[in-house]
C-alpha cells in the first residue's frame, strides 16, 4: 500500500512539473496557457470578463551582476510569493520568462482589476523596481494573445515614460 501511494504521489508530481516553474513553483508559460485557455473559454461561452496583468522586473540583469545569481533567484521567489499573496485563489499566477510574470484574473473587468494591479505594484515596490501593464476582455481584445499584446505595450509604455524616452526612440 505504501509503494502504491508513493507511485501515485510521484506520478502526480511528474504530471504537475511540466506546467510549473521549478524556481518559483508558479505556473510556467505552458501551464499559464492552459489556465488562460479555460478562462477564455468561459469568456467566449458566457462573456465572463477576463483581465491580464503582465509584470516585468526592471534592471534584473544588473541586480544579478551586482548581488549574484543566488540573490537573483531569491528575488524571483519573493516576487512569486508576493504575487500569490496579492491575488484571489481563483486567479492564476505565472513566471512566463526570466524576469517576466503574469496574473490572469478571470471574471474580472478593468474597473475591478485596477485596485488589484495597484496592490500588486505596491507590494513589489517594497523590494524591486518593476513595470506592469493590464488589459481586459472584451474591451482590449477577445483572446489571450490580444490581451497579452495590449498589456505588454502598456507595460513598455510605462517603462519608456519612466526612463524619459519614447517607445519610438527606444525601438
Amino acid at each position: 500500500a505504501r509503494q502504491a501511494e508513493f507511485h501515485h504521489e510521484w506520478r502526480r508530481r511528474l504530471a504537475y512539473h511540466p506546467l510549473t516553474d521549478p524556481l518559483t513553483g508558479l505556473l510556467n508559460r505552458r501551464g499559464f496557457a492552459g489556465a488562460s485557455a479555460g478562462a477564455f473559454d468561459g469568456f467566449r461561452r458566457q462573456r465572463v470578463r477576463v483581465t491580464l496583468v503582465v509584470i516585468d522586473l526592471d534592471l534584473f540583469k544588473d541586480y544579478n551582476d551586482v548581488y549574484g545569481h543566488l540573490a537573483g533567484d531569491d528575488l524571483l521567489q519573493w516576487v512569486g510569493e508576493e504575487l500569490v499573496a496579492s491575488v484571489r485563489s481563483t486567479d492564476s499566477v505565472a513566471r512566463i520568462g526570466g524576469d517576466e510574470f503574469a496574473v490572469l484574473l478571470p471574471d474580472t473587468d478593468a474597473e475591478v482589476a485596477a485596485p488589484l494591479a495597484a496592490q500588486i505594484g505596491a507590494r513589489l515596490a517594497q523590494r524591486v523596481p518593476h513595470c506592469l501593464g493590464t488589459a481586459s476582455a472584451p474591451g482590449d481584445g477577445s483572446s489571450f494573445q490580444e490581451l497579452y499584446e495590449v498589456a505588454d505595450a502598456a507595460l513598455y509604455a510605462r517603462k519608456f515614460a519612466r526612463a524619459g524616452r519614447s517607445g519610438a526612440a527606444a525601438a
Side-chain angles (χ1 to χ4, degrees):
R2 277 187 181 164
Q3 189 173 15
E5 186 176 311
F6 173 79
H7 285 289
H8 174 72
E9 176 63 18
W10 190 250
R11 276 189 294 256
R12 187 191 66 75
R13 286 183 185 183
L14 286 175
Y16 186 68
H17 183 71
L19 305 177
T20 59
D21 173 57
L23 179 64
T24 62
L26 301 175
L27 292 172
N28 61 19
R29 185 177 291 272
R30 184 181 196 183
F32 197 65
S36 300
F40 280 94
D41 185 45
F43 168 74
R44 282 186 289 279
R45 284 186 293 114
Q46 300 172 349
R47 300 308 274 182
V48 174
R49 298 182 185 279
V50 179
T51 296
L52 176 67
V53 181
V54 179
I55 302 112
D56 185 69
L57 306 184
D58 293 342
L59 306 171
F60 184 70
K61 182 187 179 315
D62 295 342
Y63 185 91
N64 267 342
D65 290 346
V66 171
Y67 299 106
H69 290 282
L70 289 177
D73 288 352
D74 179 60
L75 181 64
L76 293 172
Q77 290 169 336
W78 178 84
V79 168
E81 291 165 4
E82 290 300 307
L83 291 174
V84 169
S86 297
V87 300
R88 306 163 301 193
S89 61
T90 56
D91 301 332
S92 298
V93 180
R95 178 176 174 215
I96 57 175
D99 64 349
E100 188 174 5
F101 295 81
V103 179
L104 186 69
L105 307 168
D107 198 21
T108 306
D109 61 16
E111 187 177 320
V112 172
L116 186 55
Q119 178 184 347
I120 289 169
R123 287 184 83 125
L124 295 182
Q126 296 173 31
R127 189 166 168 196
V128 62
H130 64 282
C131 285
L132 61 84
T134 62
S136 298
D140 295 319
S142 59
S143 70
F144 173 78
Q145 188 60 38
E146 289 172 349
L147 289 192
Y148 182 81
E149 289 170 8
V150 171
D152 200 47
L155 179 153
Y156 279 99
R158 285 187 182 94
K159 192 174 283 247
F160 292 136
R162 188 171 49 200
R165 12 176 215 180
S166 71

